Amino acid sequence: QIEYERSYELAKDVRAAVAELTPQEHAVCQALAEDTPRCEIATRLGISRYAVDRIIDGIAERFTEKNIDKWVR
């Protein structure tokens, strides 16, 4: 029961964090979830590979601040 409640709360936290992402950040997350290479993500979004890396770093930083970075990898 306690493990279920902990998992439920963590899932809520992850959903809330994802809901705060910009459309571009969300597109990057979705593409990463589909195992899309970063260079292909850049091409799809019309941005540089460096920009994709910065977006990923920003998302990781926010998830770390919310203490959900270990859950979302």
Side-chain angles (χ1 to χ4, degrees), residues 4-21 59 62-72:
Y4 171 79
E5 290 173 9
R6 194 172 306 149
S7 293
Y8 178 77
E9 289 301 315
L10 185 56
K12 270 184 22 183
D13 291 344
V14 170
R15 279 194 301 274
V18 169
E20 294 174 5
L21 297 177
I59 293 167
R62 281 196 273 161
F63 284 11
T64 298
E65 289 171 1
K66 296 177 180 299
N67 212 18
I68 59 172
D69 56 314
K70 291 176 183 73
W71 178 258
V72 183

Side-chain angles (χ1 to χ4, degrees), residues 1-69:
Q1 178 70 19
I2 292 173
E3 187 62 33
Y4 171 79
E5 290 173 9
R6 194 172 306 149
S7 293
Y8 178 77
E9 289 301 315
L10 185 56
K12 270 184 22 183
D13 291 344
V14 170
R15 279 194 301 274
V18 169
E20 294 174 5
L21 297 177
T22 67
Q24 190 173 51
E25 291 169 332
H26 192 271
V28 169
C29 278
Q30 183 66 40
L32 289 172
E34 296 167 353
D35 290 326
T36 306
R38 292 176 186 209
C39 58
E40 187 176 327
I41 296 170
T43 300
R44 280 188 199 174
L45 298 178
I47 59 177
S48 71
R49 162 71 195 268
Y50 177 71
V52 171
D53 290 342
R54 283 187 319 200
I55 291 168
I56 292 169
D57 289 345
I59 293 167
E61 186 176 309
R62 281 196 273 161
F63 284 11
T64 298
E65 289 171 1
K66 296 177 180 299
N67 212 18
I68 59 172
D69 56 314

